[in-house]
Amino acid sequence: MPFSFVILWTDALVFVLVVIVAILVRHIRRHEHLRTPWLRVGKSASGMAALTVLLFFIIIGLLDSIHFRPALENRYNNGEQVYSAEVLSLFDVIVNPLRTNVEKTYSAPLAAYLYAKETVSLPDGHQVREFSRLKFGGAHLQHPETQRIDDITARTAAGIGLGFAAWMLLVALLALMLARHHQESFKKSLSSIWRGATEIPWNAVLITLAAILTLLGIILMLTPYYHVLGTDKVGQDVLYQALKSIRTALVIGAITTLIMLPFALLLGIMAGYFQGWVDDIIQYIYTTLSSIPSVLLIAAAVLMMQVYIETHPELFETTAERADLRLLFLCIILGITSWTGLCRLLRGETLKLREMEYIQAAHAFGVSHWRVISRHILPNVMHIVLIATVMDFSGLVLAEAVLSYVGVGVDPSMISFGTMINAARLEMAREPMVWWTLLAAFGLMVALVLSANLFADAVQHAFDPRIQTLSEKTSIMRRSSNRKNSVGPAAATPSSKKIKHTPPA
């Protein structure tokens, strides 16, 4: 077999989370009262555009979560194939040129020479200091000084054309699907999409896809010949590092949420429902936990885990397994320390729901406490859980960057936004300044966090009953005022006919 699959702890948890999401989607589609709020999310143009960007990041994260060890050629041990100690992912195979085209040291974005001068020996024995040619970047050019700009321009135009062609194909497929679904002509369906007359704002989705596909087309045409975002100190492509950091950020946000939810749900609802000594104990627990500085607690836990890993090297076959265990432990610590805010919200909401008439009626009929919690309390607090979960995701991504920056985050061998920013800290102080590592990490992290925040805002507007009620009242008032304005002048004619008196004969 040319490879051996490797299932890391975080890989297993990521795909368990995917299965849970798939089951929830199937459950929501079967129940109209659960499907209605999500339909409102689908009507938000900003929310659907943000979801499109998030799906792009999620696809990269899932591809980077399928790991394997390639087989070594002609290497056998007692008749069994020997596999490499390097753990690769399916994403590494797709972007193999980015991973394997390694230069000597720093190079600027789209450059053909090294970023700093080095000593070069001439054929006559003399030594001069000059900018050496890159091994891969611009290697196809005979005279980079005169050919590079024209070559980059031509390949960029070809990439834009490729992205535009792919986008036009998607637009045509979408218009055909809508035309078949609504039983209308292709032209009418296409016009409805661009006028925003569809139930889902496909025009916003298509505009976002146009930007993404254009960018992908440009990168696809340039990466075999140039380093689009330059290289780092050891000559590794910065674009590759930035894309690999996406999985780390998604794992931190998703698995930490998966660990945090049981604590927040169970303890928050129990505190608000049972009250008394149960409420006192739970309040004491999360008040004490909130009083401890979270950074110090996380640093102490991560350092303890690091000592355990270093004293038990026989437990890990590869470096990736060791780094993955530290990442999992960081998710556990973040989950344990970040459930207190959601627990407070759920406690307050449960205190309010406990006094509602239908809960009192259930108690009067002798319904058990756990049945009341599962059938009446839990469904009515899920909108808070969903809103808080989506909004906390971006905070967890930023938390990983801060922790890795101060040295208590992920393993140094694992690529993340925090490790890239930490490396850029010293690069920004050198002369000449290396700025592209920070720019790449900052740009992708802002895109991920911004899309998560915009999607969270759409979810909040769809699920929050107070915002929903206010918007419904506003729309009702607008419709009533429009109706009065439209029928006001016309209504005077019938009334004038009714009060008109005929003169006596």
Side-chain angles (χ1 to χ4, degrees), residues 96-114:
N96 189 59
L98 291 178
R99 183 179 65 88
T100 56
N101 292 352
V102 179
E103 304 291 349
K104 184 181 295 185
T105 183
Y106 294 113
S107 65
L110 300 174
Y113 293 91
L114 289 176

Side-chain angles (χ1 to χ4, degrees), residues 145-453:
E145 296 82 0
T146 58
Q147 298 175 344
R148 187 174 65 91
I149 300 300
D150 295 337
D151 185 67
I152 292 174
T153 304
R155 296 185 185 279
T156 301
I160 294 174
L162 180 63
F164 183 74
W167 179 75
M168 288 294 292
L169 180 61
L170 288 178
V171 172
L173 290 175
L174 177 62
L176 284 174
M177 290 175 58
L178 293 179
R180 179 176 297 181
H181 182 267
H182 296 291
Q183 296 181 354
E184 58 186 14
S185 64
F186 174 81
K187 185 177 180 181
K188 185 177 180 182
S189 178
L190 192 62
S191 176
S192 300
I193 290 174
W194 292 116
R195 286 187 294 104
T198 55
E199 185 176 2
I200 297 175
W202 290 112
N203 52 354
V205 175
L206 290 175
I207 291 173
T208 308
L209 277 176
I212 294 175
L213 291 175
T214 302
L215 188 61
L216 286 178
I218 295 173
I219 292 175
L220 186 63
M221 296 301 297
L222 289 176
T223 47
Y225 305 96
Y226 298 95
H227 298 286
V228 178
L229 293 178
T231 57
D232 63 356
K233 186 177 182 179
V234 296
Q236 195 171 23
D237 195 279
V238 173
L239 177 61
Y240 172 74
Q241 295 183 13
L243 294 175
K244 289 285 286 186
S245 302
I246 293 174
R247 178 189 179 270
T248 307
L250 293 177
V251 166
I252 290 286
I255 296 182
T256 302
T257 302
L258 191 64
I259 296 171
M260 173 190 70
L261 280 181
F263 291 98
L265 275 173
L266 182 63
L267 298 180
I269 293 177
M270 285 178 60
Y273 183 81
F274 292 106
Q275 298 182 343
W277 61 272
V278 177
D279 188 18
D280 294 338
I281 291 176
I282 294 175
Q283 283 194 73
Y284 179 78
I285 291 173
Y286 70 62
T287 303
T288 303
L289 191 60
S290 299
S291 64
I292 302 174
S294 58
V295 175
L296 296 180
L297 182 61
I298 293 170
V302 169
L303 291 177
M304 290 170 57
M305 188 63 189
Q306 186 65 26
V307 171
Y308 176 81
I309 291 174
E310 292 177 355
T311 54
H312 298 80
E314 69 279 0
L315 299 177
F316 312 101
E317 294 185 5
T318 60
T319 306
E321 294 180 2
R322 183 184 66 187
D324 184 75
L325 183 62
R326 178 167 172 173
L327 175 62
L328 176 62
F329 196 74
L330 178 62
C331 293
I332 294 173
I333 295 301
L334 284 173
I336 292 175
T337 56
S338 59
W339 60 269
T340 55
L342 181 57
C343 183
R344 285 192 181 99
L345 292 175
L346 293 177
R347 174 184 174 273
E349 187 69 14
T350 306
L351 284 172
K352 182 183 73 174
L353 293 174
R354 191 179 184 276
E355 305 301 326
M356 301 297 289
E357 290 82 359
Y358 59 91
I359 302 293
Q360 300 298 327
H363 289 161
F365 281 105
V367 180
S368 64
H369 294 303
W370 295 112
R371 188 168 180 82
V372 171
I373 291 175
S374 61
R375 295 296 298 272
H376 300 292
I377 301 293
L378 185 60
N380 285 287
V381 299
M382 284 309 295
H383 68 282
I384 296 179
V385 175
L386 188 60
I387 293 170
T389 299
V390 178
M391 295 186 70
D392 288 345
F393 174 82
S394 57
L396 293 170
V397 173
L398 296 175
E400 181 275 326
V402 173
L403 292 173
S404 297
Y405 177 77
V406 299
V408 293
V410 300
D411 192 83
S413 62
M414 178 173 286
I415 303 174
S416 71
F417 292 128
T419 55
M420 290 183 67
I421 294 174
N422 188 28
R425 176 171 57 96
L426 299 176
E427 294 172 351
M428 295 289 287
R430 71 186 301 274
E431 181 62 36
M433 183 176 63
V434 178
W435 49 267
W436 48 87
T437 303
L438 180 64
L439 177 65
F442 182 76
L444 276 184
M445 186 170 63
V446 166
L448 177 59
V449 172
L450 180 61
S451 58
N453 285 342

